Amino acid sequence: MKKVLLVDGYNVIRTSGLYRNIEVEDFTGGEGLNPAREKLIADVAVFAQGRYDATVIFDGAGNGGSDGAPRSVAGITVIYSQAGESADSVIEKLATQARDKGREVFVVTSDAQTQWTVLGNHVTRISSLGFAQEVELVNRSWQERNPAPKSKHTLSERIDPKVAERLARFARGDSQDLG
């Protein structure tokens, strides 16, 4: 049986430079937190692969349209807490349910209140910063095992240097000696 991993999404984004640095400051018309959320979800999916049943929980308490329904994204579950309910209460509920079923539970948060609640339930807490550091190690390991292909993508990288020089002369209007 896989371990359960519950991630306090906004807490990790706000605590770790790995995500905070890609956060867009303008919430009025821009993407807001979308890039940071997407990166966190992708990173949790890679981190959890094969080892954890992972859920990332974002606080939707202030969003009147948030229904709290779980969604599957990249092989993990993503939940925006329903309107009026905090992400912390969803994390506490999910941690208790999993623990009561005999599952080993890990909660990623640096929120003091959530820490005290989950630690009282024999749940292992991982700090948001510690988790982000683990994610960086996993990402680095993946990159080392799967290096970027060395293929050439642009025409200027693939063309023979002699042909490139002839084309450059032609472009400059130096049509002599092209033959």
Side-chain angles (χ1 to χ4, degrees):
M1 188 179 302
K2 290 182 188 176
K3 301 170 187 173
V4 174
L5 179 67
L6 304 172
V7 179
D8 186 342
Y10 289 137
N11 186 268
V12 174
I13 288 171
R14 299 251 192 278
T15 304
S16 166
L18 181 63
Y19 304 102
R20 187 180 57 241
N21 293 338
I22 63 171
E23 182 179 325
V24 178
E25 296 298 326
D26 176 25
F27 296 102
T28 57
E31 294 186 28
L33 290 169
N34 283 340
R37 280 191 296 254
E38 290 169 3
K39 178 167 178 40
L40 176 62
I41 290 166
D43 286 347
V44 170
V46 169
F47 183 84
Q49 194 172 46
R51 298 182 301 166
Y52 297 96
D53 285 328
T55 303
V56 179
I57 301 94
F58 294 105
D59 200 327
N63 180 350
S66 184
D67 63 4
R71 292 165 178 84
S72 179
V73 179
I76 65 170
T77 302
V78 177
I79 298 174
Y80 289 85
S81 65
Q82 67 184 16
E85 181 180 32
S86 72
D88 295 342
S89 64
V90 173
I91 291 167
E92 292 164 12
K93 179 174 56 177
L94 293 173
T96 300
Q97 289 171 350
R99 191 220 53 224
D100 289 349
K101 291 179 183 175
R103 302 203 50 200
E104 190 172 359
V105 181
F106 295 84
V107 174
V108 177
T109 188
S110 291
D111 181 277
Q113 181 61 42
T114 304
Q115 287 180 37
W116 285 111
T117 302
V118 299
L119 288 174
N121 287 328
H122 305 288
V123 173
T124 303
R125 184 200 61 92
I126 304 168
S127 74
S128 294
L129 187 57
F131 178 74
Q133 291 169 340
E134 286 292 318
V135 164
E136 285 183 292
L137 289 174
V138 169
N139 286 344
R140 205 171 307 135
S141 173
W142 273 97
Q143 289 170 353
E144 288 170 2
R145 283 187 270 157
N146 301 301
K150 294 185 171 91
S151 63
K152 296 178 180 178
H153 299 286
T154 65
L155 181 59
S156 64
E157 292 173 318
R158 296 183 306 205
I159 196 167
D160 180 89
K162 290 179 185 176
V163 173
E165 175 56 34
R166 289 177 71 189
L167 288 172
R169 284 196 318 257
F170 178 76
R172 289 190 305 264
D174 186 5
S175 57
Q176 301 178 23
D177 197 34
L178 289 178

